[in-house]
């Protein structure tokens, strides 16, 4: 028997797609019907991905054509599922801070690589260049920025801004600083769970009167965890700088730090990698270089990951001494250290300008209830 396409379509109009109100022809679920003598091919697309819905759709088509058109028809059903995108549940979106132009996260996968030292010296060098700069010390459990700026005993004052009480950051060397260290005793451990730490960070971010800043540097804690996600979902980060030393054990963690920012649910631009403690130079032998932790490991990692290499900093005793007494080494004038930090800072500024020219303005990352909870894959 020779079948007619119109008869097939009319029969299919009596069937509704599981979970939808209209029949499968009116709804557009049936995308094509082909007839060859007593053979019928039905192409159909449904939105319900369940096995039950797929089976029921196929059975209904076979049964209806056999009953209403021709009981011996040879029928083939090509079923395709196009499930609609699920709405993002519990989306958390941060908001920018009025007056702050660029927010740079300074991170490291591993502790002890000099991340806070680099942050402090970047900040004072930016200030020397004429920029308005602030530092948010987000290392809740080990805040060291107050010591490095000689403001360990500082206590932020309350100021009224637009009828609201705000914290006034402590300022030294032209840099505004806020840290959890201002609210705890020097010998007091901060023993908080993640939500409490995140709440404290949000207060320092949004309940502070930062004023007009060209750069806000955020000194992140080591690792890739809850504090990092809290910061990145609270603020639109312009870009991230990753600090590492040259040895393999630090590079392995730095690689994870870069991967965290590049994760699909985060996508914060990585401005580059800084190699700290690149080589040791004794004070009495300023022209000598000893590669104690390996040579150019972070530079090679930057090339492998295709991210910019910002530059290298030496392991010099005076950097440590300057941090301990609360006067960052970059404040020293006419020294190799000053030049090293100036070069690093110039490269960071250059990468920020390049990033702002080539990429759209950043937004705070949107994190659903489970996003960011899975392991980050590294290349």
């Amino acid at each position: 028997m020779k079948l007619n396409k119109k008869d097939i379509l009319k029969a299919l109009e009596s069937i509704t797609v599981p979970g939808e109100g209209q029949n499968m022809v009116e709804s557009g679920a049936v995308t094509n019907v082909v007839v060859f003598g007593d053979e019928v091919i039905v192409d159909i697309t449904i939105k319900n991905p369940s096995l039950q819905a797929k089976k029921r759709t196929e059975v209904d088509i076979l049964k209806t054509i056999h009953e209403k058109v021709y009981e011996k028809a040879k029928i083939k059903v090509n079923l395709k599922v196009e499930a609609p995108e699920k709405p993002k549940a519990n989306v958390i979106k941060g908001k920018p801070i009025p007056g702050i132009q660029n927010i740079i996260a300074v991170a490291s996968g591993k502790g002890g690589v000099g991340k806070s030292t680099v942050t402090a010296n970047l900040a004072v060098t930016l200030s020397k260049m004429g920029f308005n700069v602030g530092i948010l010390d987000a290392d809740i459990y080990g805040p060291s920025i107050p010591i490095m700026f000689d403001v360990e005993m500082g206590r932020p004052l309350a100021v009224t801004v637009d009828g609201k009480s705000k914290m006034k950051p402590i300022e030294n060397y032209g840099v505004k600083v806020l840290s959890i260290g201002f609210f705890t005793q020097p010998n007091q451990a901060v023993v908080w769970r993640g939500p409490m730490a995140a709440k404290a960070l949000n207060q320092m971010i949004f309940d502070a009167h930062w004023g007009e800043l060209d750069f806000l540097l955020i000194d992140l804690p080591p690792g890739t965890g809850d504090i990092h996600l809290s910061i990145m979902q609270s603020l639109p980060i312009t870009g991230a700088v990753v600090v590492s030393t040259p040895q393999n054990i630090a590079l392995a963690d730095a690689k994870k730090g870069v991967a965290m920012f590049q994760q699909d649910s985060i996508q914060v631009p990585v401005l580059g990698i800084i190699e700290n403690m690149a080589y040791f130079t004794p004070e009495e032998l300023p022209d000598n270089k000893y590669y104690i932790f390996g040579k150019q490991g972070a530079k090679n990692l930057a090339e492998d990951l295709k991210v910019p290499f910002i530059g290298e900093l030496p392991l010099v005793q005076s950097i440590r001494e300057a941090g301990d007494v609360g006067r960052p080494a970059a404040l020293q004038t006419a020294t190799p250290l000053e030049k090293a930090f100036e070069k690093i800072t110039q490269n960071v500024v250059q990468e920020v300008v390049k990033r702002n020219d080539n990429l759209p303005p950043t937004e705070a990352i949107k994190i659903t209830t489970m996003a960011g909870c899975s392991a980050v894959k590294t290349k």
Side-chain angles (χ1 to χ4, degrees), residues 165-187:
S165 181
K166 298 275 188 177
M167 285 183 288
K168 184 180 180 181
I170 303 296
E171 187 168 348
N172 200 12
Y173 310 129
V175 179
K176 297 177 180 179
V177 178
L178 270 184
S179 170
I180 197 67
F182 294 144
F183 307 99
T184 60
Q185 297 300 318
N187 59 349

Side-chain angles (χ1 to χ4, degrees), residues 24-328:
M24 59 178 55
V25 177
E26 288 180 350
S27 67
V30 175
T31 57
N32 193 28
V33 173
V34 180
V35 176
F36 299 101
D38 62 351
E39 296 181 12
V40 180
I41 300 174
V42 178
D43 295 335
I44 185 166
T45 301
I46 65 174
K47 296 178 180 179
N48 191 332
S50 69
L51 182 62
Q52 182 181 1
K54 291 188 286 185
K55 189 64 179 177
R56 178 184 159 188
T57 299
E58 186 175 357
V59 169
D60 284 351
I61 290 173
L62 296 173
K63 183 178 179 182
T64 300
I65 293 175
H66 284 150
E67 288 181 352
K68 296 191 174 185
V69 182
Y70 181 49
E71 63 179 358
K72 295 183 179 180
K74 300 172 184 177
I75 307 166
K76 182 180 179 181
V77 178
N78 296 324
L79 193 147
K80 183 179 178 182
V81 176
E82 286 185 359
E85 291 187 9
K86 295 181 180 180
K88 293 182 178 179
N90 298 330
V91 169
I92 306 169
K93 182 180 177 182
K95 54 185 177 180
I97 305 175
I100 298 180
Q101 300 302 314
N102 299 284
I103 301 174
I104 299 177
V106 184
S108 67
K110 185 174 177 58
V113 297
K115 170 183 49 60
S116 297
T117 300
V118 170
T119 303
N121 284 282
L122 276 176
V124 297
T125 306
L126 286 167
S127 179
K128 286 167 62 178
M129 290 178 175
F131 294 108
N132 296 321
V133 189
I135 292 182
L136 172 65
D137 187 359
D139 196 346
I140 293 289
Y141 304 108
S144 53
I145 292 295
I147 297 174
M148 293 184 176
F149 277 83
D150 196 23
V151 290
E152 190 176 7
M153 303 310 295
R155 294 294 179 267
L157 299 175
V159 294
T160 302
V161 181
D162 297 330
K164 295 181 179 179
S165 181
K166 298 275 188 177
M167 285 183 288
K168 184 180 180 181
I170 303 296
E171 187 168 348
N172 200 12
Y173 310 129
V175 179
K176 297 177 180 179
V177 178
L178 270 184
S179 170
I180 197 67
F182 294 144
F183 307 99
T184 60
Q185 297 300 318
N187 59 349
Q188 179 184 353
V190 179
V191 188
W192 289 348
R193 292 190 183 274
M196 192 170 181
K199 184 178 179 181
L201 280 174
N202 276 331
Q203 287 181 321
M204 287 194 293
I205 293 169
F206 297 110
D207 293 343
H209 179 53
W210 290 100
E212 297 291 326
L213 294 181
D214 298 301
F215 293 94
L216 175 65
L217 305 184
I218 302 180
D219 184 25
L220 291 171
T224 55
D226 188 60
I227 298 297
H228 304 75
L229 290 176
S230 296
I231 287 288
M232 289 184 288
Q233 74 182 37
S234 297
L235 290 171
I237 306 296
T238 305
V241 172
V242 176
V243 180
S244 179
T245 49
Q247 75 267 39
N248 289 338
I249 195 167
L251 295 173
D253 290 338
K255 188 175 182 180
K256 295 173 186 175
V258 172
M260 172 186 69
F261 292 113
Q262 294 178 338
Q263 192 176 5
D264 289 341
S265 60
I266 295 176
Q267 293 186 339
V268 168
V270 177
L271 301 175
I273 297 176
I274 294 174
E275 183 170 273
N276 193 27
M277 309 181 201
Y279 53 85
F280 170 62
T281 297
E283 186 177 357
E284 65 275 12
L285 298 170
D287 296 327
N288 288 26
K289 294 181 179 180
Y290 300 94
Y291 297 93
I292 296 174
F293 299 116
K295 190 174 182 180
Q296 297 184 337
K299 183 178 181 179
N300 294 332
L301 177 64
E303 292 175 358
D304 291 343
L305 299 180
K306 294 181 174 56
V307 299
F309 179 64
I310 301 295
E312 61 183 21
L313 294 166
L315 174 61
V316 180
Q317 183 175 334
S318 59
I319 296 180
R320 190 273 303 165
E321 292 172 343
D324 285 349
V325 299
R327 184 175 172 80

